[in-house]
Amino acid sequence: MEKTDMRNYSSSFRGKGSEFFGVVVINWLLTVITLGLYYPWAKERTLKYLYANTYLENDRFQFSGTGKEMFVGFIKVFGMFLFLYLAFLFAAQSQNAALSVIILLLFYAFILGIIPFAIHGFYRYRMSRTSWRGIRFGYRGDRSTLVKMYFRDLFLTILTFGIYSSWMTIHLRNYTLSNVKFGSASFKHQANGDDYFFLNLKGIILTYITLGIYSFWFQRDIINFYFDHLSLHHNDKKVKFKSHLSAGDIFELLIINLIIIVFTLGLGYAFAEVRTLTTMFSKLQIYGDIDLDAIQQTEAEYKNAFGDEALDVMDLSGVI
């Protein structure tokens, strides 16, 4: 890539705390009134607002998923968890200790076992419902390959008492993100498990030694690591991502956001979220030599939101 071909692409988040606050409050009220049934539609409204206020080259992203699609996924996930919960209650009331232990083990096995299927489904659905300038994203990963990788790495992580988790995390991120498409362009995430392991090891040790003070540098390094190994490829052209977040940025975000949320009894969540996204995008550099106008539509829609809801229920949406 020649330096003369390089250019910076503008990106920004332009949401406003007051606007998002209105979205969040209405979502909370309707979710409470409907005893949680409105949640998928609340998620739709949230995602559509956040996507519509995220810009690349002054054009906004779009999320075209619907509450109905996510409701179907939500019901499927809720049904499976409800079945296991009722089975555990039945075992507990029967006062059969052995049966209770078996049901509990099956519950945890289910949680661990469903994760790779949920990740695969999450990427297929969320990417196909995301677009920019009318060009859809997509996910081309193979489910069986991901499942085999996940259980292999999970076994090694258990065998090494968690040490191998750094390699497991990187393998999953490399595979999933490297199978994300943006029309005729392809993403690549090329990181090394060794680097990630030592980054975490250093962070944990220094955070412990400094009584938590180093945690701001630790979080900065993790976020920057993820972005710095991500790129977009189209023919022989490439776009790279680089995060310029500092420890000071992390400190300011965490402390101010905490103050906002605590002193508003949680009502300030919307303002904290907008502050975080605004800072993240203001510190993100996107540069390369791809002509974005040359990217063509290649991806189809996928309407099964099971994986999206499963990761959300397990609070794993932000992990992958």
Side-chain angles (χ1 to χ4, degrees):
M1 185 183 295
E2 297 179 5
K3 290 185 178 180
T4 54
D5 297 329
M6 298 284 285
R7 56 161 296 193
N8 283 305
Y9 306 86
S10 65
S11 66
S12 61
F13 180 77
R14 303 178 188 177
K16 297 180 180 179
S18 57
E19 293 177 348
F20 191 43
F21 177 75
V23 173
V24 170
V25 169
I26 292 175
N27 283 347
W28 283 349
L29 289 175
L30 291 177
T31 300
V32 170
I33 291 172
T34 61
L35 302 179
L37 290 178
Y38 185 75
Y39 172 76
W41 285 271
K43 185 175 178 180
E44 175 195 346
R45 294 183 74 243
T46 297
L47 289 173
K48 285 187 174 178
Y49 179 83
L50 296 177
Y51 275 55
N53 283 281
T54 302
Y55 287 78
L56 174 64
E57 293 290 270
N58 289 316
D59 285 311
R60 64 181 66 194
F61 285 82
Q62 180 182 10
F63 177 72
S64 57
T66 67
K68 181 179 178 181
E69 292 168 355
M70 289 184 279
F71 180 72
V72 173
F74 175 78
I75 291 299
K76 290 179 181 178
V77 175
F78 179 77
M80 288 190 294
F81 276 92
L82 180 62
F83 173 77
L84 289 171
Y85 176 70
L86 292 176
F88 180 73
L89 281 183
F90 172 78
Q93 290 179 352
S94 70
Q95 297 183 344
N96 187 324
L99 182 59
S100 297
V101 171
I102 292 173
I103 295 294
L104 187 61
L105 290 175
L106 286 175
F107 177 78
Y108 285 117
F110 169 78
I111 295 296
L112 290 174
I114 199 177
I115 288 176
F117 297 94
I119 291 175
H120 178 80
F122 168 85
Y123 274 103
R124 283 199 68 187
Y125 176 73
R126 184 66 69 87
M127 292 301 102
S128 78
R129 309 308 265 162
T130 300
S131 61
W132 179 77
R133 288 184 178 175
I135 304 296
R136 277 193 299 272
F137 286 70
Y139 176 68
R140 300 287 187 87
D142 177 67
R143 184 172 60 187
S144 61
T145 300
L146 180 63
V147 169
K148 290 175 184 177
M149 177 191 302
Y150 171 83
F151 282 109
R152 179 202 67 197
D153 285 3
L154 179 62
F155 173 74
L156 292 174
T157 297
I158 295 173
L159 199 64
T160 58
F161 301 100
I163 293 175
Y164 195 76
S165 61
S166 291
W167 285 268
M168 180 178 184
T169 298
I170 294 304
H171 289 162
L172 289 174
R173 290 187 71 90
N174 282 348
Y175 183 79
T176 52
L177 292 175
S178 294
N179 277 287
V180 171
K181 299 274 290 181
F182 170 50
S184 53
S186 303
F187 281 91
K188 295 292 181 184
H189 188 272
Q190 298 169 305
N192 186 284
D194 295 0
D195 296 334
Y196 191 63
F197 170 76
F198 286 110
L199 178 66
N200 278 276
L201 183 63
K202 181 187 75 172
I204 292 171
I205 292 174
L206 291 179
T207 298
Y208 178 77
I209 292 175
T210 61
L211 303 179
I213 295 176
Y214 188 77
S215 62
F216 303 109
W217 283 266
F218 186 19
Q219 291 187 53
R220 174 207 64 186
D221 290 344
I222 293 294
I223 294 172
N224 290 350
F225 181 88
Y226 288 149
F227 277 115
D228 294 351
H229 290 86
L230 182 65
S231 57
L232 179 68
H233 301 255
H234 189 248
N235 298 326
D236 60 340
K237 307 291 185 179
K238 180 166 66 173
V239 164
K240 298 192 70 175
F241 299 80
K242 186 170 183 60
S243 172
H244 295 282
L245 273 175
S246 68
D249 295 325
I250 299 293
F251 175 82
E252 191 269 344
L253 278 175
L254 290 178
I255 299 302
I256 301 300
N257 285 354
L258 179 63
I259 292 173
I260 291 174
I261 292 173
V262 170
F263 282 91
T264 61
L265 301 178
L267 292 176
Y269 156 77
F271 295 89
E273 182 74 4
V274 166
R275 292 184 74 255
T276 299
L277 290 171
T278 301
T279 299
M280 293 285 287
F281 276 94
S282 69
K283 299 294 181 177
L284 179 62
Q285 180 186 7
I286 306 175
Y287 61 99
D289 61 351
I290 290 180
D291 177 7
L292 299 179
D293 292 327
I295 297 176
Q296 299 177 343
Q297 180 70 275
T298 61
E299 303 307 297
E301 292 185 312
Y302 180 73
K303 299 183 179 182
N304 188 344
F306 171 80
D308 198 296
E309 295 307 308
L311 284 185
D312 208 23
V313 168
M314 293 183 286
D315 197 25
L316 293 174
S317 294
V319 175
I320 47 111

